[in-house]
Amino acid sequence: MFDNLSDKFQRIFKNLRGQGKLTEENIREALREVRMALLEADVHYKVAKDFVTGIAERAVGQEVMTSLTPGQQVIKIVNEALTDLMGGQSEPLRLIGKPPVCLLMVGLQGSGKTTTTAKLARKLVQEHRKPCLVPADVYRPAAIEQLVTLAGQINLPVYPSTVRQKPEEIAREAQGYAREHNCDTLIVDTAGRLHIDTELMGELGRLKEILQPAEILLVADAMTGQDAVQVASAFHETLGLSGVILTKLDGDARGGAALSIRAVTRCPIKFIGLGEKLDALEVFHPDRMSSRILG
Ligand code: GDP
């Protein structure tokens, strides 16, 4: 994961460690390289700039420079700063409210929304919840079939949506359906488009009104870098997201989305997708991600 970025960080830190005593210039030079590495990983330019400025304030000080292991101290500061940048700590789902508690899954087409809906359902089953899956993408029959197939793999009930229904009608009826099937959680897979448009946002707004979801989760493709950050900003402004699930981190994503989304949108990354299989979903831990990046 983020191999390029990791390689660069390791090279920068190897140099620092090799220096013994550090001058202010040594540290500033290393931080210039850190900034370049972040930009090359497609981190938002302002995020990269603020990140490096914050580290400089802490690292170019008496304590670090007079320490016996100044290089090590700088690495520790970078590690803490990366962790903070990604939100500090993991953010659990808040499944609060009268059952069935609803999770509204939103995102662009191809982001991994339907797969992630099933992955999340599987995770909730492991936590002894009983989810009901709701396909609400009535524009693509294949999307409904895909969710039905995935639900079959994990033996979960699916509200029998049809392409003749309106998403709003599906949302209203699915709540009763879930209660009849003794389900305590409703996971609604909404339509995606290739681009954000007002029609899609309008529909999602109406679904939010009807379902009063405990969580609105944006599924975003990490491979798209800064586009994912812009998508997250747009969805958050219009709908008020409670979290982001970043998919395809098993691919060769450069890291920009994971490192910038929280800082740009203030919205936490709650899970990461690490493969096509239904067990490839992990809780996002900023500290573990930071350690992975720093190697
Ligand atoms: P949707 O259009 O947003 O519902 O996207 P899908 O759920 O159909 O996923 C699009 C493609 O991305 C499928 O081939 C999925 O198997 C794949 N996919 C989803 N999540 C991940 C992931 O975390 N890693 C990888 N490698 N592929 C994923």
Side-chain angles (χ1 to χ4, degrees), residues 108-115 119 146 248 250 273-276:
L108 296 186
Q109 200 172 305
S111 58
K113 192 162 32 61
T114 303
T115 314
K119 285 179 178 178
Q146 189 189 353
K248 309 187 194 180
D250 53 309
L274 293 162
E276 299 195 62

Side-chain angles (χ1 to χ4, degrees), residues 66-248:
T66 54
S67 116
L68 287 176
T69 51
Q72 215 49 49
Q73 294 291 328
V74 175
I75 296 166
K76 185 163 167 276
I77 292 171
V78 174
N79 193 355
E80 285 167 6
L82 271 182
T83 304
D84 287 347
L85 185 67
M86 292 184 282
Q89 33 184 298
S90 58
E91 294 264 353
L93 288 178
R94 285 181 220 286
L95 301 179
I96 300 162
K98 203 168 133 238
V101 175
C102 176
L103 280 74
L104 192 60
M105 310 295 286
V106 302
L108 296 186
Q109 200 172 305
S111 58
K113 192 162 32 61
T114 303
T115 314
T116 305
T117 299
K119 285 179 178 178
L120 201 54
R122 182 183 173 277
K123 224 177 188 48
L124 293 179
V125 169
Q126 288 173 336
E127 292 168 16
H128 310 293
R129 296 191 72 95
K130 190 170 174 206
C132 170
L133 297 176
V134 185
D137 182 353
V138 294
Y139 312 102
R140 289 189 312 138
I144 299 181
E145 279 164 34
Q146 189 189 353
L147 192 62
V148 170
T149 306
L150 291 170
Q153 290 174 18
I154 40 182
N155 285 320
L156 285 179
V158 187
Y159 171 79
S161 310
T162 73
V163 289
R164 287 179 299 283
Q165 288 175 293
K166 286 213 173 315
E168 292 84 349
E169 177 191 339
I170 292 174
R172 275 190 213 96
E173 292 194 356
Q175 290 171 314
Y177 183 88
R179 269 190 286 271
E180 279 163 29
H181 288 77
N182 296 318
C183 294
D184 53 19
T185 316
L186 207 57
I187 314 185
V188 181
D189 183 23
T190 61
R193 305 272 159 86
L194 292 177
H195 303 283
I196 295 167
D197 60 46
T198 43
E199 212 176 302
L200 172 68
M201 286 303 186
E203 177 180 307
L204 294 175
R206 291 191 294 281
L207 291 180
K208 176 182 175 184
E209 210 37 53
I210 296 165
L211 292 161
Q212 299 288 318
E215 292 270 357
I216 304 181
L217 298 169
L218 173 77
V219 178
D221 177 347
M223 304 279 282
T224 63
Q226 282 314 294
D227 282 350
V229 181
Q230 276 177 20
V231 166
S233 296
F235 273 85
H236 193 38
E237 265 168 38
T238 318
L239 285 176
L241 300 173
S242 57
V244 175
I245 302 181
L246 213 48
T247 60
K248 309 187 194 180

